[in-house]
Amino acid sequence: MYNKISPEILRSISSIVGEDFVITQHADLEKYSHDETEDLSYYPEVVVKPCTATEISELLKLCNQHFIPVTPRGAGTGLAGGALPVNGGLLISMERFNQILNIDEQNLQATVEPGVITEEFMNAVAEKGLFYPVDPASKGSCFIGGNVAHGSGGPRVVKYGTIREYILNLEVVLPSGEIIWTGANTLKYASGYNLTQLMIGTEGTLGIVTKIVAKLIPHPTEDVLMLASFSSNEDACAAVSAIFRAGVIPSAVEFMERKCFEWVKEYSGIAFDLNENDGAFLLIEVDGTDKEVILAECEKINGVLENFGCHDVLFADSAAQKASLWKIRRTIGESVKLHSTYKKEDMVVPRAELPALVKGIKEIGTKYGFDSVCFGHAGDGNLHLNIVKGNMSDADWDNKLNDGLHEIFELTVSLGGTISGEHGIGLVQKEFMPIKYTDVHYELWRGIKQVFDKNNILNPGKIF
């Protein structure tokens, strides 16, 4: 259905953004042909690097007129194939939208462009004593616009909420080329359908975000970080729900099985000791403004951990030790990738169901012959699953793996969960969506897509 980019259309594209910001050479297109999703690669015909909403508007008008598919791209750190140009066409890179436009200390909000690296934004507001708590593992390289597109979270969701809690308003270019603001820069919004919330998590299928108004909060001044060790995955996961039932809300509760530590040590060179009976770990952070209150909460957490067979609790006693523990957690994904061919999944269940989910995943792996490494944001029930090829044959990897994945997602749904907690659906997860969602859901989604994007030019082939 889609048309190729002709020399005439290419000249029009160049006239919109300038020849210096148009890429057509095959070798130069390579970096835009993939993201961090396995080993998938799809080349766009042309890459452009606009720097204004008006330029994007003109590009989308042109592509709509000539039925050319358009793929928006942030930093390319996605894990579900959301930025892969599966239909070729035009890829719009947002890398030049890299300005923090305003930090409003009076109203505790900031206006930022989507190509700003998340950690740089966090650091900029922290210098003013403010806090933006949405910090995915890739915060040092991912763009805040990509976080919006995927509904990102990170370790501190458990206390502070996902990115949905922090986006007040968005400037968006629609597939038709119209430029709108989705809402208002206010903490309350009860004025019709909330288009701001609708746009979050749509993975660039309904519009291209060009400005983001984010809510900020005062920065916590104190924090304590603990690493607790357990004999088994199930014991560690069972302790998570009990911490909250005891009346404590930590700022982070991260689960890591033993293999995570072993592979980080082997492939990332981070030195630490492991005991023989350490089978799983919880990394627990408590933050706030009153050190005595925080320590009292930690004491209460320690009592809970003992009831679930915790062997030992290490209290990080310096900023350097805290940074080292967080580095272990944030390096797991890359260490697994260096170890073996792998497939990364991301599911979420009510936190009390985590023990059953982890146990079931291991049993399904045994049934189908694959290994796995589990870790993730246990405090909100979000498990990151890395399925590792290991000794599995190529034939079984190609033919049996998906059957195992179906069973894992069926288990997830049966426990009250869903397909993805924060990585999104994109290209690679969409085949599993019918496990959770019905024809009615698909009809509603397609209806929304049709209203926004009548010609289906914007990131086609994603989500459904």
Side-chain angles (χ1 to χ4, degrees):
M1 291 178 59
Y2 298 112
N3 293 321
K4 296 289 186 181
I5 297 176
S6 67
E8 181 183 355
I9 295 172
L10 182 59
R11 284 192 292 272
S12 297
I13 290 171
S14 297
S15 71
I16 293 170
V17 299
E19 290 185 5
D20 290 344
F21 302 106
V22 178
I23 300 172
T24 58
Q25 295 298 316
H26 187 79
D28 296 329
L29 294 173
E30 192 278 334
K31 68 174 283 190
Y32 299 96
S33 71
H34 59 86
D35 56 11
E36 293 298 318
T37 309
E38 302 161 25
D39 57 355
L40 301 177
S41 179
Y42 297 86
Y43 277 74
E45 295 172 62
V46 177
V47 170
V48 291
K49 302 178 184 181
C51 69
T52 69
T54 300
E55 288 178 354
I56 292 178
S57 172
E58 293 303 313
L59 290 168
L60 290 180
K61 288 176 183 177
L62 181 69
C63 291
N64 233 323
Q65 178 184 352
H66 294 282
F67 297 99
I68 294 168
V70 177
T71 305
R73 178 185 172 96
T77 60
L79 296 164
L84 298 179
V86 294
N87 292 285
L90 183 68
L91 185 145
I92 296 180
S93 172
M94 302 301 289
E95 60 199 273
R96 294 176 67 207
F97 283 81
N98 58 4
Q99 300 298 309
I100 298 172
L101 301 174
N102 177 49
I103 299 176
D104 182 350
E105 297 177 70
Q106 296 297 313
N107 289 302
L108 274 66
Q109 58 185 237
T111 303
V112 59
E113 292 184 326
V116 171
I117 293 173
T118 303
E119 188 169 28
E120 291 182 1
F121 178 56
M122 296 174 69
N123 291 341
V125 301
E127 288 177 3
K128 298 180 180 296
L130 300 174
F131 191 36
Y132 176 73
V134 183
D135 62 339
S138 59
K139 66 179 181 178
S141 55
C142 65
F143 290 171
I144 188 171
N147 299 163
V148 171
H150 290 86
S152 295
R156 293 178 175 86
V157 162
V158 62
K159 180 175 180 178
Y160 293 105
T162 71
I163 198 168
R164 290 186 178 276
E165 307 297 321
Y166 296 92
I167 303 304
L168 300 175
N169 202 358
L170 298 168
E171 182 185 69
V172 178
V173 185
L174 301 178
S176 62
E178 294 170 287
I179 302 172
I180 67 167
W181 281 95
T182 56
N185 300 0
T186 55
L187 297 175
K188 288 184 175 181
Y189 188 87
S191 306
Y193 297 154
N194 193 324
L195 298 179
T196 305
Q197 289 296 312
L198 175 62
M199 293 300 301
I200 298 170
T202 54
E203 302 185 39
T205 60
L206 300 184
I208 298 179
V209 174
T210 49
K211 288 189 182 71
I212 299 161
V213 180
K215 181 180 77 173
L216 307 172
I217 58 178
H219 204 293
T221 55
E222 304 284 348
D223 65 77
V224 172
L225 188 63
M226 303 178 281
L227 181 68
S229 58
F230 300 80
S231 295
S232 70
N233 294 335
E234 289 85 355
D235 285 346
C237 289
V240 174
S241 177
I243 291 170
F244 294 87
R245 296 198 305 272
V248 181
I249 302 179
S251 50
V253 183
E254 297 291 296
F255 164 73
M256 299 165 283
E257 66 170 284
R258 180 188 178 94
K259 225 173 296 183
C260 298
F261 278 73
E262 292 174 340
W263 289 2
V264 166
K265 188 173 184 178
E266 182 176 355
Y267 294 98
S268 300
I270 301 174
F272 50 84
D273 295 323
L274 284 173
N275 295 323
E276 275 187 26
N277 58 353
D278 290 342
F281 301 84
L282 293 179
L283 185 64
I284 305 168
E285 181 188 80
V286 182
D287 72 2
T289 57
D290 188 320
K291 192 64 171 281
E292 289 188 8
V293 171
I294 292 172
L295 291 175
E297 291 182 333
C298 289
E299 186 175 345
K300 187 178 290 188
I301 290 172
N302 202 43
V304 172
L305 299 178
E306 288 177 357
N307 293 333
F308 288 87
C310 176
H311 301 148
D312 186 40
V313 177
L314 168 68
F315 283 81
D317 56 9
S318 68
Q321 193 172 28
K322 291 174 186 177
S324 178
L325 289 175
W326 275 117
K327 186 176 181 181
I328 292 170
R329 167 61 186 88
R330 295 185 186 278
T331 310
I332 293 171
E334 186 62 27
S335 301
V336 173
K337 184 177 182 179
L338 292 170
H339 175 81
S340 172
T341 300
Y342 78 111
K343 189 172 182 64
K344 195 175 189 73
E345 303 296 341
D346 162 56
M347 63 279 296
V348 59
V349 294
R351 67 169 72 97
E353 305 298 340
L354 271 176
L357 177 62
V358 174
K359 182 174 185 290
I361 285 171
K362 297 300 182 180
E363 291 172 349
I364 293 168
T366 299
K367 175 180 176 181
Y368 286 94
F370 58 75
D371 202 355
S372 63
V373 180
C374 297
F375 61 98
H377 313 308
D380 51 69
N382 185 193
L383 191 70
H384 296 328
L385 166 65
N386 287 261
I387 296 176
V388 181
K389 185 170 184 261
N391 296 322
M392 198 177 189
S393 69
D394 291 343
D396 284 351
W397 182 259
D398 293 336
N399 299 314
K400 289 185 178 180
L401 180 60
N402 261 25
D403 292 337
L405 287 174
H406 269 275
E407 286 198 26
I408 288 171
F409 284 120
E410 285 168 356
L411 171 64
T412 300
V413 171
S414 74
L415 294 172
T418 191
I419 308 301
S420 176
E422 60 185 12
H423 291 170
I425 300 303
L427 178 66
V428 298
Q429 299 291 73
K430 62 182 182 179
E431 66 176 290
F432 304 115
M433 291 287 272
I435 296 172
K436 169 70 175 176
Y437 299 102
T438 67
D439 290 343
V440 174
H441 291 97
Y442 276 82
E443 184 178 354
L444 290 169
W445 292 334
R446 290 190 175 109
I448 292 168
K449 174 69 169 171
Q450 177 65 18
V451 168
F452 278 81
D453 186 11
K454 291 181 173 59
N455 292 325
N456 194 31
I457 65 159
L458 195 53
N459 215 10
K462 310 297 169 57
I463 303 180
F464 61 91

